[in-house]
Structure formats: C-alpha cells, structure tokens
Amino acid sequence: MKFRSPKNLRGYYELVWKLARLIPRGRVASYGQLALMLPAPQGVNDDAYRAFGPRWVGGAMAHCPDNVPWHRVLNSQGKISSRPGAEKQRKLLEAEGIVFVKDRIDLKKYGWAGPK
DNA sequence: GTTGTGACATCGC
DNA sequence: CGCGATGCCACAA
C-alpha cells in the first residue's frame, strides 16, 4: 500500500527515508548533505531545490517512519534541530558512540560521505 | 484562490 | 561565536 500521492514529491520523501536508512551506525548526515546527495524531483528547478532541498528533507523526516534512523540526521551546524525529543536524539546518538562537543558533533569525524 | 507555516542554509553585523 | 533576516517549494486549512 502506497502513500496517497500520485505525485512524485511524496515518493521523494520515501527516497529520503531510504537514504537515511543507509546511514551506518555511529555516523551522521546533515539535511543539506542529503539534499545535495538526492536528485531534485521532476518539475523542480535545481536552484530552487538547492535553496529548499534541506527543508524538504526535513519535511520527509517530519513523517518519520519507525524504520528510519531520523536521529542520525542533523543540520549543517552539526547540532540537533529543534524538535520534540531532541534530548532523546542526543541520547541515541551517544548510545551509538557519537561524541557531543558542546552540544555539537564533529562532522569531520562522524560526517557521512554517502552510500558510495 | 489566498494565507501561513515548515526537523534548513547562508550572509551580515 | 551568537543572533537576526532572507530565500524558496509544496502542503494544509
């Protein structure tokens, strides 16, 4: 059963979830990173996507299926985004071996390069 | 059809 | 380093 949505945009969300699931344990990715990594939906200008990509990724995460490690997705600042349960997310990340430095994560160390 | 909002990013001060 | 303001798309009411 599919999500009611004849449009590809909703399918794009699923794509985001799929990519999020590919994030290995102990590693994190940023919304902008995922946005740049994923292709822009048909009918969307590349420029516009670049500007609003991260927000769409966030929108996809907003639906947050249970099978998606949403806690491994952070913002470009390497911090947890505003969202209920942010503290819980930090706990989950620490449980995976990720070290927080002043509420921040070293993306150079834990930054996910992609499925490659 | 219009208005408001969104789990962001980037630039400026 | 921190805060404020701006930009863009689609969806929901």
Side-chain angles (χ1 to χ4, degrees), chain A residues 65-106:
Chain A
D66 294 343
N67 50 337
V68 177
W70 51 271
H71 58 266
R72 289 182 194 152
V73 184
L74 312 173
N75 55 31
S76 290
Q77 297 174 8
K79 295 200 256 188
I80 301 174
S81 311
S82 303
R83 90 183 193 162
E87 297 180 10
K88 186 174 184 177
Q89 178 173 5
R90 172 170 160 179
K91 200 171 185 177
L92 288 168
L93 290 171
E94 288 185 324
E96 294 193 351
I98 295 174
V99 180
F100 274 73
V101 180
K102 294 198 180 276
D103 296 343
R104 243 193 289 214
I105 296 177
D106 191 346

Side-chain angles (χ1 to χ4, degrees), chain A residues 16-87:
Chain A
V16 177
W17 303 335
K18 208 189 294 197
L19 186 61
R21 273 184 242 148
L22 294 175
I23 300 175
R25 175 181 166 284
R27 211 133 265 205
V28 296
S30 63
Y31 294 96
Q33 191 72 45
L34 293 175
L36 294 172
M37 200 186 292
L38 288 166
Q42 191 175 30
V44 179
N45 296 337
D46 191 33
D47 271 349
Y49 176 68
R50 184 164 133 205
F52 226 96
R55 252 177 278 192
W56 284 355
V57 176
M61 287 298 158
H63 282 272
C64 137
D66 294 343
N67 50 337
V68 177
W70 51 271
H71 58 266
R72 289 182 194 152
V73 184
L74 312 173
N75 55 31
S76 290
Q77 297 174 8
K79 295 200 256 188
I80 301 174
S81 311
S82 303
R83 90 183 193 162
E87 297 180 10

